[in-house]
Amino acid sequence: MTTTAQLVKPVSLELGGKSPIVVFEDVDLDKVAEWTVFGCFFTNGQICSATSRLIVHESIVVEFVDKLVKWAENIKISDPLEEGCRLGPIVSEAQYKKVLNCISSAKSEGATILTGGRRPEHLKKGYFVEPTIITDVTTSMQIWREEVFGPVLAVKTFSTEEEAINLANDTHYGLGSAVMSNNLERCERLSKALQAGIVWINCAQPSFIQALWGGIKRSGFGRELGEWGLENYLSVKQVTRYTSDEPWGWYQSPSKL
């Protein structure tokens, strides 16, 4: 923005995120557990829209998180070129260390690492990190507030719809979000209330080139993809044509003096 401002050029920014996934108590737990795992661990968590903040109803948290752990521990971690790979390495050594440091900081702040948080035992080389699920998280913790860009899911509970919305929106970011419920009226309410450029209902991460993509707050501005993505490159021009046979008549004509 600073560079383009000096040249008075427009800019479109698609930046980071710390996207929430809100899970209500009326869902199919296994079905939603897979979507929750996919939403955060797809592409090894290295995706700007990763739904890495799980906000789950308190009445199902124990059973749901137990299922999440089983799903996460069943993910095949391997060389991405190996058949059936579902989670590969972190992109660089620096990012690998950052991810592990984020996990370590969460633990030192009092959070609980339910699963993952380390290198897989069967992979001695490469920047691999196991899918990680963290509970006992507070809203002030780094793991809840800052983008990790790795396979790390932080978990908090809620009791009311209003509380869920407040937790979801309490962030500097606003790229993606997801709501999971069999109550479609509730899903509609949340899709309007969630402060994000993208809302998934009963899924997480499916993307289509026909649909716009972009965020609000510190996740940027402008939109990519679809017809909206073209607007970044277009400028609106006004063209005015005078159609009357009469003179404009604002000034007195010299010929009539």
Side-chain angles (χ1 to χ4, degrees):
M1 288 179 67
T2 301
T3 301
T4 58
Q6 295 174 33
L7 301 172
V8 199
K9 287 186 177 293
V11 60
S12 175
L13 300 176
E14 194 272 281
L15 305 174
K18 192 70 178 178
S19 301
I21 178 169
V22 181
V23 177
F24 286 89
E25 70 277 15
D26 60 347
V27 298
D28 180 317
L29 296 186
D30 273 308
K31 181 179 178 181
V32 173
E34 182 182 11
W35 276 117
T36 303
V37 167
F38 183 80
C40 185
F41 302 147
F42 173 60
T43 66
N44 320 325
Q46 298 173 119
I47 186 169
C48 51
S49 59
T51 42
S52 56
R53 289 189 300 137
L54 169 61
I55 302 169
V56 57
H57 195 273
E58 60 186 11
S59 66
I60 61 168
V61 63
V62 174
E63 184 180 2
F64 186 66
V65 169
D66 181 63
K67 288 183 179 293
L68 281 181
V69 169
K70 290 182 172 66
W71 276 90
E73 292 179 348
N74 193 51
I75 293 174
K76 180 176 179 178
I77 311 169
S78 68
D79 183 325
L81 297 179
E82 188 174 314
E83 185 70 27
C85 174
R86 288 297 178 267
L87 194 140
I90 302 300
V91 70
S92 67
E93 181 181 12
Q95 183 62 22
Y96 172 73
K97 290 180 178 179
K98 177 190 172 184
V99 172
L100 293 180
N101 283 338
C102 287
I103 296 169
S104 177
S105 293
K107 188 174 181 180
S108 67
E109 289 182 281
T112 301
I113 315 301
L114 281 188
T115 187
R118 58 186 181 273
R119 170 187 292 279
E121 292 183 1
H122 68 286
L123 293 167
K124 305 303 181 185
K125 295 181 179 180
Y127 305 127
F128 292 91
V129 178
E130 291 180 340
T132 304
I133 299 174
I134 303 178
T135 58
D136 299 319
V137 172
T138 66
T139 56
S140 63
M141 289 182 181
Q142 178 194 38
I143 202 68
W144 185 256
R145 306 207 68 83
E146 297 301 325
E147 184 177 45
V148 177
F149 224 68
V152 182
L153 178 68
V155 182
K156 278 195 69 62
T157 62
F158 72 92
S159 57
T160 67
E161 183 176 313
E162 182 181 10
E163 183 184 5
I165 292 169
N166 289 336
L167 279 169
N169 289 338
D170 182 22
T171 173
H172 295 306
Y173 299 103
L175 184 55
S177 61
V179 53
M180 304 291 191
S181 174
N182 288 329
N183 184 330
L184 293 184
E185 290 184 0
R186 173 191 281 159
C187 291
E188 180 71 16
R189 287 195 301 272
L190 262 78
S191 70
K192 294 178 179 178
L194 291 172
Q195 297 170 0
I198 302 158
V199 181
W200 290 290
I201 295 177
N202 291 327
C203 60
Q205 298 307 332
S207 304
F208 305 91
I209 60 171
Q210 300 92 337
L212 62 85
W213 186 271
I216 60 174
K217 302 182 184 178
R218 293 189 188 177
S219 289
F221 53 82
R223 292 297 181 264
E224 302 172 2
L225 305 182
E227 60 184 275
W228 301 270
L230 296 175
E231 293 178 1
N232 295 319
Y233 304 95
L234 301 177
S235 177
V236 179
K237 178 187 293 185
Q238 184 204 115
V239 178
T240 302
R241 183 167 66 94
Y242 187 61
T243 60
S244 175
D245 292 331
E246 297 298 321
W248 185 237
W250 178 257
Y251 301 104
Q252 184 175 9
S253 173
S255 64
K256 294 181 179 181
L257 293 177

